[in-house]
Amino acid sequence: MGIEMPIAGFIVGLVVGMTGMGGALIMTPIMIFVFGVSPALAIGTDLIYSSVTKIFGAWQHWRQKTIDFAVVKWLSAGSIPGALLGVLMILLMQNHFDTKQLNSAIGKILGVTYLLIAAVMVWRIFGGKGRTTRPDDVQRPPKGKLVALGAIGGFVVGMTSVGSGTLFMAVLAMIYPVASAKLVGTDILQAVLVTAAAGLAHMSIGNVDLHLVGKLLIGSIPGILIGSRLTTKIPDMAVRTALMLMLFLSGMKLLS
């Protein structure tokens, strides 16, 4: 795991910066299938790595004024408690299963989550785009809806490390169709908060490898800065299609 980890981090950072999604969807399977990290350790390590990486993406979007701070506030009001509840669920599983059973159970949960998110992404692309609006025409979703979305998404993030970008982006795009760059920036900032909360909770129960985090950050920080600058300049359909394919294949492998 010499230069391979920084390269993997750069690729993931680039994708996250461009689309606001894909971090855990790429990195967690890479750690499990390529580098042989256990599912529980991969989840906690990815959350810490992701939270630090996304700080730099959020900073770039803040400079570009592509963040809706009110939406971030209400999403986080639900997502942070939800994420902590998800980590508590993992802790309960660790107390009741041996290592082999735990890794198998978490692998199955990840597999189902990957397939569900792939289905949501397919639906969004082919059936759920809906109307287009100018940013000035869009009214923010009700606070209660944002908190509920945050709580559900946060729980998924806490258990699987997946969803801080993809899940929130998919649902936000349906209920708050603002310009793509603003949607990405808003999502990345709230993802910083939810992944940090979940990651620190995983660290407290021993599910984080800080050595791996450091190697990943060497590549991911320049990757997300470059990707964030490209957000408003290139289409992301090819990236999303590749993510969907990878999600489907990873989900099927984890469930097999």
Side-chain angles (χ1 to χ4, degrees), residues 79-134:
S79 66
I80 292 175
L84 296 177
L85 189 60
V87 178
L88 177 61
M89 185 65 69
I90 293 290
L91 179 60
L92 292 175
M93 292 172 65
Q94 287 180 321
N95 290 335
H96 288 85
F97 297 145
D98 61 33
T99 301
K100 184 176 180 180
Q101 291 173 323
L102 176 68
N103 288 335
S104 176
I106 294 177
K108 294 293 188 292
I109 293 170
L110 279 171
V112 171
T113 304
Y114 289 163
L115 293 178
L116 287 175
I117 291 179
V120 169
M121 291 172 69
V122 170
W123 176 85
R124 182 186 168 199
I125 289 174
F126 296 106
K129 285 186 176 180
R131 65 187 180 92
T132 57
T133 60
R134 300 193 312 272

Side-chain angles (χ1 to χ4, degrees), residues 31-170:
M31 283 195 280
I32 294 172
F33 297 128
V34 178
F35 299 113
V37 178
S38 71
L41 190 63
I43 288 170
T45 300
D46 177 75
L47 284 165
I48 291 293
Y49 145 79
S50 181
S51 65
V52 177
T53 299
K54 289 180 178 181
I55 287 174
F56 292 86
W59 172 74
Q60 182 64 41
H61 280 281
W62 174 74
R63 291 182 62 204
Q64 296 170 184
K65 302 186 186 303
T66 49
I67 296 175
D68 188 325
F69 288 97
V71 171
V72 170
K73 178 177 72 173
W74 292 110
L75 280 175
S76 299
S79 66
I80 292 175
L84 296 177
L85 189 60
V87 178
L88 177 61
M89 185 65 69
I90 293 290
L91 179 60
L92 292 175
M93 292 172 65
Q94 287 180 321
N95 290 335
H96 288 85
F97 297 145
D98 61 33
T99 301
K100 184 176 180 180
Q101 291 173 323
L102 176 68
N103 288 335
S104 176
I106 294 177
K108 294 293 188 292
I109 293 170
L110 279 171
V112 171
T113 304
Y114 289 163
L115 293 178
L116 287 175
I117 291 179
V120 169
M121 291 172 69
V122 170
W123 176 85
R124 182 186 168 199
I125 289 174
F126 296 106
K129 285 186 176 180
R131 65 187 180 92
T132 57
T133 60
R134 300 193 312 272
D136 292 342
D137 296 333
V138 181
Q139 185 175 5
R140 290 190 184 98
K143 296 173 183 176
K145 185 178 289 189
L146 291 171
V147 173
L149 167 61
I152 295 169
F155 181 77
V156 174
V157 171
M159 279 201 73
T160 67
S161 81
V162 175
S164 65
T166 311
L167 186 60
F168 282 100
M169 278 287 289

Side-chain angles (χ1 to χ4, degrees), residues 190-242:
Q190 76 82 29
V192 170
L193 303 176
V194 68
T195 55
L200 290 172
H202 271 281
M203 185 184 293
S204 71
I205 59 176
N207 286 344
V208 174
D209 186 329
L210 292 176
H211 180 67
L212 291 185
V213 171
K215 286 193 171 185
L216 292 170
L217 289 175
I218 292 172
S220 68
I221 291 172
I224 199 168
L225 289 173
I226 293 170
S228 296
R229 293 179 70 88
L230 295 174
T231 304
T232 58
K233 299 177 182 178
I234 62 174
D236 58 15
M237 178 60 75
V239 176
R240 292 172 189 268
T241 301

